[in-house]
Amino acid sequence: MKVSTILSKPKYIIVSVIAILVGCLMLFATSAAELEREAESDYSEGWTTNHRELVDVDDINTGDSDGYIVITKTLPDRIKTDDSLCFVSANTSITVYVQGHCEYRFSQPENFTGFGYGTAYHSVKLSPENEGETVKIVLNASFKNGSGGRIRMLSIEDSRDYFARLAKGQILPFTISVGIIIIGILLLIIRLILPRGRDRGDMVALGITAVITGVWLANDTGFFRMVLNAVIFCRVVDYVCEHILIFPLVGFVYSITHERRRLFIRIQTVLAVFDAAFYLIMRFVFGYDMTDLTPEYFVYIACSILLVIVMLFSDHVYCRKNDIESESRFFSMGIIFFLICCAIDIGVFASGAMSITGHAPFMRIGFYVFFITMGVETIRNWIHEQASIRRDRFINKMLQYAVSANDPDISIRAIMKYFGTEFSADHVYLYENRRDGTFHTTYEWFREGAPLPASDEYHDIPYEGLIDGIYDRFNEEHRLIIRNREDAKEISPALYDLLTRINIRNMVIGPLVAGGDLIGLFGIDDAPDDSSNEISDLIWLMSYFITQLIFQRDEWRNLERFGYIDSLTGAHNRRALDIFEKEHAEDYPYGFVMCDINGLKKINDTVGHDCGDDLIADVAACLIEVFGTDRVFRLGGDEFVAYSFAETEAEFDKQAETLRGLLYTRQRSASIGCVYVKDDLADRMKVKKRAEELMYAEKEEYYRGNNDRRRE
């Protein structure tokens, strides 16, 4: 984005004007506080140095006197009880003498950054007895080269008034600095609560950069030093923030580019690691003060700026080549505004209007506007991104359900629930072709609290007279949208009658087709009107995967049938019996039946095994007819067991007699042992043993009736 384009937009001009006004207000507040101090209690002028020069303390620098200066002056005749000698120092140890007596000493030990400590605030208690006495201040520079030591803003007044005046001059810069911190924290919080989707690294990087920058600028106002008196801590924070600020800022620029060449972030990582290693080695191995390494720090900044320029240019070329709208133009806008603010600060500094504390008011405004602009733009891009990827996310979720679950039944139900929940529908359903001229609802999902259909007749719908009337619409549009029940009159009177009877307001339904064969229908009822088109598109897109899940489910059922069903008889096998007994271990009362076929060996030997198989199948069919498929189990060649959950023993006995009657009707013979259990006091193994005894007793009776047991 060109500068002329930015400045031509009214909103940018308004923001620029407001920022300049706020910067001027900060500068005015600082200057006003200084003017107020000078008018009421200034004590900076008229000091005599150890070289017998008359000086203003604001002009003193230890670098001009080989790191050591002594200044003296006579105290005025207007000292009050609460007065103190107040001043601000930078990077110098201080000793204050009043009439030859040492009243105050201040020095700081060597620290993480070196020998300097930055800025410190002092007050030396005075009393009316000190009026007219001589005060002497000895300054020894903290740095080995003797430079940088100075004092400023010296006053005689109540220390509380002095610090309150300084704080008042910095309250606006401090507030703006805290505002930058809050912006960063809000960006990080927003990122934490955002739904998972595309990685928003730009928001994280911008938030971290804003927090670090805000802490750095807030520390620069001197508030922390005045309130906490943590001089060394604030000094360390100042240097640490300066160095770690660059990496997340470059990371933010990287995250808003579309090209995202990892080479750039690797280069910046190398630069950051080299910068940290260089400073630590020079500081702790060679004993350099970090202040002496400022030129090297500017080299690190210059390299990082050059990397950002190359990164933005490369991304610009990439976006033009691929016809992509670049997001970095908003970054360029923020940077241009920030540089303008910095240029204003440079002019202010050159004019001599800058205070010892609270540097660069316009730079603060530049940072503030930059982070607000970038934060708003980042959030706006995320909102637009969410709107554009909602459909893709929905499809991806459906595909995830389609392939992730081990059970296709679970996948189909999960897809239906997700459809209904996402679109606030009342009813989602799946019809399957029964191959008998009807379609049956095999799966359904209802929204909690939604009204149920007024009739159950929708569970089975005929092909002729209903589905065939809308089949042509399926062939043409791959879907059918009924936005209002009345619209169904012209499409299919039979469908309109059905919707009226079960009280459905609107419907979106699509065919499930495989190889030209209509195997089912997938539909949604009573969803919001404005979502009908989106629902129909998604049903059409997902129909293939739902069809595949149905086929997969059928294959699973066949595999399950082979694993738990006896292929000859259709009864369950011994594995299924173990599962059944575990699932029904607490179910009482129940009846247990043990059945053993009579004469199977004789038929196999005399007529053949095919006839023997027919005998086994017939006996199994009789058991299944009485007790149900799920409760009959084949244990071996001619042995079966069955369970009954008849509520009374009489009912169970009737079932046993029915079984005997069916066997007699089919001219089949089997020995049967039946035991009815009323409560859980009976051990299951004992029940089985008793049934087996009864069965063998009946078999013995069978053998005594002129049947050769050895041949059967």
Side-chain angles (χ1 to χ4, degrees):
M1 183 178 288
K2 297 180 180 179
V3 177
S4 58
T5 304
I6 295 174
L7 297 180
S8 65
K9 296 187 177 182
K11 63 181 180 180
Y12 300 137
I13 296 176
I14 293 173
V15 171
S16 301
V17 171
I18 293 175
I20 292 173
L21 290 176
V22 174
C24 291
L25 181 60
M26 284 194 293
L27 189 61
F28 173 77
T30 303
S31 300
E34 178 64 10
L35 290 172
E36 182 180 356
R37 182 193 66 81
E38 292 177 354
E40 296 184 4
S41 56
D42 182 56
Y43 195 58
S44 299
E45 297 179 352
W47 289 80
T48 303
T49 69
N50 51 327
H51 301 294
R52 300 186 182 281
E53 296 176 353
L54 197 63
V55 296
D56 187 322
V57 294
D58 290 341
D59 299 327
I60 291 175
N61 191 315
T62 57
D64 300 330
S65 301
D66 297 326
Y68 177 80
I69 295 178
V70 179
I71 57 176
T72 59
K73 186 177 180 179
T74 302
L75 293 172
D77 296 332
R78 53 179 176 80
I79 298 176
K80 301 176 184 178
T81 304
D82 295 329
D83 281 350
S84 298
L85 182 65
C86 304
F87 55 93
V88 181
S89 72
N91 300 315
T92 179
S93 61
I94 298 170
T95 306
V96 179
Y97 298 90
V98 177
Q99 203 64 22
H101 296 284
C102 180
E103 300 292 339
Y104 180 78
R105 288 184 184 275
F106 175 83
S107 64
Q108 292 292 323
E110 183 179 2
N111 58 76
F112 179 82
T113 68
F115 296 94
Y117 59 81
T119 303
Y121 299 84
H122 312 272
S123 65
V124 182
K125 183 63 178 171
L126 300 176
S127 67
E129 288 78 9
N130 299 126
E131 292 177 356
E133 296 181 347
T134 300
V135 60
K136 180 172 68 172
I137 302 177
V138 179
L139 306 179
N140 274 298
S142 299
F143 299 125
K144 292 181 179 180
N145 60 11
S147 65
R150 61 192 189 276
I151 61 174
R152 296 286 189 275
M153 299 160 50
L154 199 150
S155 297
I156 294 179
E157 60 180 311
D158 190 325
S159 60
R160 292 168 295 184
D161 296 335
Y162 179 82
F163 291 125
R165 189 179 295 112
L166 291 180
K168 184 170 66 174
Q170 298 301 321
I171 189 67
L172 189 54
F174 182 79
T175 301
I176 291 178
S177 302
V178 172
I180 295 175
I181 297 174
I182 293 174
I183 291 172
I185 293 174
L186 288 176
L187 287 172
L188 294 175
I189 292 175
I190 291 172
R191 179 62 191 93
L192 287 175
I193 64 178
L194 287 180
R196 292 185 176 273
R198 176 189 166 189
D199 178 36
R200 297 307 310 187
D202 51 354
M203 199 173 295
V204 174
L206 185 64
I208 293 174
T209 305
V211 171
I212 296 173
T213 303
V215 170
W216 177 44
L217 295 176
N219 182 60
D220 181 65
T221 62
F223 258 70
F224 297 144
R225 287 177 169 86
M226 282 189 284
V227 175
L228 304 176
N229 197 28
V231 177
I232 298 301
F233 174 78
C234 292
R235 175 74 166 181
V236 173
V237 168
D238 188 47
Y239 273 84
V240 170
C241 288
E242 284 181 357
H243 287 269
I244 66 174
L245 170 65
I246 305 300
F247 185 79
L249 182 58
V250 176
F252 168 70
V253 179
Y254 171 81
S255 66
I256 64 174
T257 61
H258 288 278
E259 187 181 24
R260 293 197 178 187
R261 293 177 60 185
R262 299 195 66 84
L263 174 64
F264 293 134
I265 204 67
R266 288 170 182 164
I267 292 174
Q268 183 57 40
T269 301
V270 171
L271 286 174
V273 172
F274 179 80
D275 173 68
F278 176 79
Y279 265 75
L280 292 175
I281 291 172
M282 296 301 291
R283 171 71 190 94
F284 295 105
V285 176
F286 297 100
Y288 277 78
D289 196 291
M290 286 191 177
T291 303
D292 299 331
L293 302 175
T294 301
E296 287 76 7
Y297 175 66
F298 285 131
V299 171
Y300 170 54
I301 293 178
C303 291
S304 299
I305 292 174
L306 179 61
L307 179 64
V308 168
I309 293 173
V310 173
M311 192 187 308
L312 293 176
F313 179 76
S314 178
D315 185 64
H316 175 72
V317 173
Y318 175 83
C319 290
R320 291 193 61 179
K321 181 179 179 180
N322 294 277
D323 195 22
I324 300 173
E325 183 180 4
S326 175
E327 296 180 13
S328 60
R329 68 182 188 277
F330 296 99
F331 173 79
S332 302
M333 178 198 71
I335 285 295
I336 290 172
F337 184 84
F338 173 72
L339 293 176
I340 292 173
C341 291
C342 290
I344 296 174
D345 268 331
I346 292 173
V348 172
F349 182 80
S351 68
M354 194 70 73
S355 169
I356 191 173
T357 58
H359 304 94
F362 290 97
M363 184 185 70
R364 297 172 193 277
I365 294 297
F367 269 125
Y368 191 68
V369 173
F370 172 78
F371 286 120
I372 288 180
T373 303
M374 293 298 97
V376 170
E377 184 61 26
T378 299
I379 295 173
R380 187 182 72 86
N381 288 339
W382 176 82
I383 293 174
H384 289 172
E385 179 185 88
Q386 291 302 302
S388 65
I389 68 173
R390 182 171 184 261
R391 178 168 169 169
D392 293 338
R393 179 178 60 83
F394 189 94
I395 294 175
N396 290 337
K397 194 71 173 180
M398 294 299 96
L399 294 178
Q400 179 183 345
Y401 285 136
V403 302
S404 61
N406 292 327
D407 189 341
D409 268 325
I410 296 176
S411 296
I412 293 174
R413 297 185 190 279
I415 288 174
M416 297 177 68
K417 181 179 179 180
Y418 191 71
F419 254 105
T421 303
E422 280 290 302
F423 292 104
S424 301
D426 287 352
H427 184 206
V428 184
Y429 48 87
L430 174 62
Y431 283 96
E432 291 189 55
N433 192 343
R434 281 183 142 180
R435 307 300 177 185
D436 61 356
T438 64
F439 284 69
H440 178 71
T441 51
T442 51
Y443 299 93
E444 283 187 284
W445 176 87
F446 288 97
R447 178 176 57 83
E448 185 176 356
L452 298 178
S455 171
D456 290 338
E457 59 182 297
Y458 72 92
H459 284 303
D460 293 284
I461 57 175
Y463 178 82
E464 293 185 4
L466 181 57
I467 297 178
D468 59 350
I470 59 177
Y471 191 73
D472 291 339
R473 183 70 64 92
F474 287 153
N475 286 332
E476 295 173 2
E477 303 179 5
H478 306 289
R479 72 209 78 181
L480 174 64
I481 301 177
I482 305 295
R483 303 183 189 277
N484 187 293
R485 185 167 56 211
E486 298 300 319
D487 298 340
K489 284 183 179 180
E490 299 180 1
I491 298 173
S492 171
L495 178 60
Y496 171 76
D497 291 340
L498 177 63
L499 297 180
T500 302
R501 290 195 300 271
I502 61 179
N503 193 28
I504 298 298
R505 301 187 305 275
N506 60 64
M507 177 183 70
V508 180
I509 193 168
L512 303 178
V513 180
D517 182 28
L518 182 65
I519 68 167
L521 304 169
F522 187 89
I524 296 181
D525 292 340
D526 294 340
D529 296 336
D530 58 356
S531 61
S532 296
N533 288 333
E534 186 176 3
I535 292 174
S536 65
D537 290 341
L538 289 169
I539 289 178
W540 178 57
L541 290 171
M542 293 301 301
S543 62
Y544 170 80
F545 299 99
I546 296 174
T547 301
Q548 295 305 308
L549 285 173
I550 292 174
F551 288 152
Q552 186 181 0
R553 179 209 60 192
D554 292 342
E555 292 178 1
W556 276 59
R557 288 180 178 177
N558 287 334
L559 290 174
E560 184 180 38
R561 180 178 179 84
F562 293 143
Y564 295 97
I565 303 296
D566 178 59
S567 59
L568 175 62
T569 64
H572 287 76
N573 57 22
R574 187 183 293 273
R575 289 175 58 193
L577 175 63
D578 293 338
I579 296 173
F580 179 87
E581 290 180 340
K582 290 178 181 178
E583 291 177 349
H584 296 276
E586 305 297 328
D587 293 345
Y588 297 92
Y590 71 88
F592 182 76
V593 178
M594 183 167 283
C595 174
D596 190 271
I597 300 174
N598 296 326
L600 176 61
K601 185 176 184 304
K602 181 177 180 180
I603 289 179
N604 285 335
D605 293 343
T606 58
V607 185
H609 286 277
D610 289 341
C611 292
D613 290 344
D614 291 340
L615 171 59
I616 295 172
D618 280 348
V619 172
C622 294
L623 286 164
I624 291 172
E625 184 174 342
V626 175
F627 299 106
T629 305
D630 295 338
R631 299 174 184 176
V632 176
F633 306 88
R634 184 183 180 190
L635 301 185
D638 57 358
E639 189 174 358
F640 294 86
V641 298
Y643 276 91
S644 168
F645 292 101
E647 295 184 359
T648 64
E649 188 172 2
E651 182 182 350
F652 177 62
D653 291 341
K654 185 177 180 180
Q655 289 177 330
E657 290 303 317
T658 301
L659 173 62
R660 296 180 191 278
L662 288 174
L663 292 171
Y664 180 79
T665 300
R666 297 193 181 194
Q667 297 182 350
R668 301 302 188 186
S669 175
S671 299
I672 301 171
C674 302
V675 178
Y676 188 75
V677 181
K678 297 180 179 180
D679 51 46
D680 60 353
L681 297 178
D683 180 73
R684 190 178 293 271
M685 295 305 298
K686 293 181 179 180
V687 170
K688 290 183 176 182
K689 184 176 181 180
R690 177 57 181 162
E692 186 179 31
E693 291 173 351
L694 293 173
M695 180 192 72
Y696 280 121
E698 190 168 298
K699 185 172 285 287
E700 289 293 334
E701 187 69 24
Y702 170 79
Y703 287 140
R704 281 197 293 268
N706 297 322
N707 293 294
D708 187 354
R709 180 172 183 175
R710 291 169 298 175
R711 296 183 60 190
E712 297 184 25

